[in-house]
Amino acid sequence: MLRARLTAQLLAGPPARDPVAVAERLLAVQGQDPRGARLAVRARSEGLTAADVDRALTEERSLLITWLNRGTLHLVRSEDYPWLQALTTPPLLAQSSRRLAQEGVPPEDAERAIAEVERSLADGPLNRDQLRERVDTIGVRTARQALVHILFAASLRGLIVRGPMVDGKHTFVLVKDWLGEPKAVDRDKALAELARRYLAGHGPVSDRDLARWAGLTLRDARAGLSAIASEIEDSGDGLVDLRGRPEPAELPPPRLLGPYDPLLLGWTSREFVLGEHQELVTVNGLFRPFALVKGHAAASWSMPRGEVALKPFGRLGKTDAAALEEEAADVVRFLWPDT
């Protein structure tokens, strides 16, 4: 199971050719930490830089970031956005209204703010600070997390996404301007595609794994899996996978995975990767960077001064330690190729 999941995640076997291929395989890459999303691409590809991700977001328009599954930001292919948005955001609407009220934004103010965001973005991309200024001018509260939840609400309605990088900042754009007018989505077909694509990047899995990852009901997860029943096979222990997959690759060499890496967010349990090191995921929802050695978490790491500082959980063998030194150098190369 471990080798199969690492292979599905592009952490074992041949690397992806570009950022879009990573997003295609994983379907949705956790995106609330900008560096983490880019490092997820690095760990699953070869020879790319963070600028390649920015290029896909800005020039190619092939990737975007927005709130989807479970109400968190995800990096996805632009062509997958319409059906993922239609499928995974409706369950989040009640949560959005509740959080706006908690932030002191009553429904009538929320509607005015969303309308102002839409008007402002009609003139082109704007970053969060610029949108705050626009919403402030109409007298709607933006303090604390109020603006974030205004933007969250607008994204749930399919009005806005995070698109291009402008002057080093991620900006918001209108969906209709950036991607074109939305088309109707067949929910049954979307559930089938969700199951198929989730399995491609995460199999073998259970129906509960799919439901939790997508933020949908168990009934929906089972409906999606049933729709592609002819394409899947029993992997034992209540798990299923796509039928006819090649044998999983051997365990990968040591890898440095960034914050919120998808490997920790794809299943109901992280035990198969973290073992006794559950502290890598904190009680307040932080997912720390870690080193993967022989398929398991072996160290945490950080970059306090622009260089990787490794904190092993135990003694590392010479070969593994040397491989992690090479990985550390590649992280720096990926993030700052001109230094």
Side-chain angles (χ1 to χ4, degrees):
M1 182 192 72
L2 176 63
R3 290 193 299 118
R5 286 179 172 176
L6 291 175
T7 302
Q9 284 271 299
L10 291 171
L11 291 170
R17 65 186 182 279
D18 56 38
V20 176
V22 174
E24 179 180 10
R25 173 66 73 85
L26 272 60
L27 182 54
V29 176
Q30 204 78 10
Q32 70 265 58
D33 185 296
R35 181 177 290 180
R38 287 158 175 78
L39 289 174
V41 170
R42 184 206 73 89
R44 292 162 172 85
S45 61
E46 191 173 73
L48 301 178
T49 69
D52 292 309
V53 180
D54 292 351
R55 187 176 302 108
L57 290 165
T58 304
E59 298 173 18
E60 300 168 5
R61 302 191 185 189
S62 53
L63 295 177
L64 59 83
I65 292 179
T66 195
W67 285 280
L68 293 167
N69 311 11
R70 309 181 310 280
T72 55
L73 288 166
H74 283 83
L75 173 75
V76 300
R77 294 194 308 171
S78 296
E79 64 186 274
D80 289 325
Y81 163 79
W83 65 268
L84 276 173
Q85 197 278 336
L87 191 60
T88 66
T89 59
L92 303 169
L93 293 171
Q95 169 194 334
S96 173
S97 298
R98 184 171 61 253
R99 287 305 309 271
L100 281 166
Q102 291 171 348
E103 292 293 337
V105 184
E108 59 274 17
D109 279 1
E111 293 301 322
R112 290 198 301 121
I114 291 169
E116 181 59 33
V117 167
E118 195 171 9
R119 280 194 298 270
S120 298
L121 292 178
D123 295 329
L126 295 173
N127 63 42
R128 193 163 72 175
D129 292 336
Q130 292 168 327
L131 286 171
R132 184 186 302 278
E133 292 176 3
R134 302 294 182 94
V135 176
D136 282 342
T137 62
I138 63 168
V140 174
R141 176 181 171 83
T142 61
R144 296 173 53 189
Q145 294 296 303
L147 178 66
V148 171
H149 287 286
I150 290 167
L151 299 174
F152 179 55
S155 76
L156 296 186
R157 297 185 188 188
L159 298 174
I160 67 172
V161 293
R162 293 190 185 193
M165 299 295 296
V166 178
D167 297 329
K169 294 184 178 181
H170 217 149
T171 62
F172 292 85
V173 289
L174 292 178
V175 171
K176 64 181 181 181
D177 291 344
W178 196 246
L179 302 178
E181 291 291 342
K183 298 179 180 179
V185 173
D186 183 304
R187 193 170 191 276
D188 291 338
K189 290 181 179 179
L191 283 172
E193 182 68 2
L194 173 72
R196 183 180 298 112
R197 298 281 299 285
Y198 171 72
L199 278 167
H202 299 81
V205 304
S206 71
D207 50 8
R208 294 184 183 277
D209 291 328
L210 171 54
R212 178 169 178 173
W213 181 82
L216 297 177
T217 64
L218 189 56
R219 180 178 180 178
D220 279 340
R222 288 172 174 168
L225 291 169
S226 294
I228 61 166
S230 64
E231 303 173 37
I232 62 179
E233 59 186 11
D234 191 338
S235 298
D237 297 324
L239 304 177
V240 297
D241 204 350
L242 291 174
R243 186 181 301 277
R245 296 185 84 146
E247 281 295 309
E250 295 301 314
L251 291 176
R255 294 276 173 83
L256 290 180
L257 303 182
Y260 298 93
D261 189 84
L263 188 60
L264 298 186
L265 288 146
W267 303 268
T268 56
S269 173
R270 305 178 186 99
E271 185 75 21
F272 73 100
V273 174
L274 296 187
E276 63 184 19
H277 302 295
Q278 299 293 319
E279 72 276 6
L280 285 170
V281 180
T282 68
V283 292
N284 58 342
L286 295 177
F287 286 68
R288 295 191 173 110
F290 69 102
L292 190 72
V293 177
K294 297 180 175 63
H296 299 283
S300 62
W301 64 277
S302 59
M303 298 189 75
R305 291 177 296 276
E307 295 183 355
V308 171
L310 197 69
K311 292 184 178 180
F313 298 142
R315 185 178 176 275
L316 293 171
K318 289 184 178 179
T319 301
D320 291 336
L324 288 176
E325 285 185 11
E326 292 182 5
E327 274 283 279
D330 193 65
V331 166
V332 174
R333 176 206 63 79
F334 177 85
L335 293 174
W336 304 291
D338 297 328
T339 59

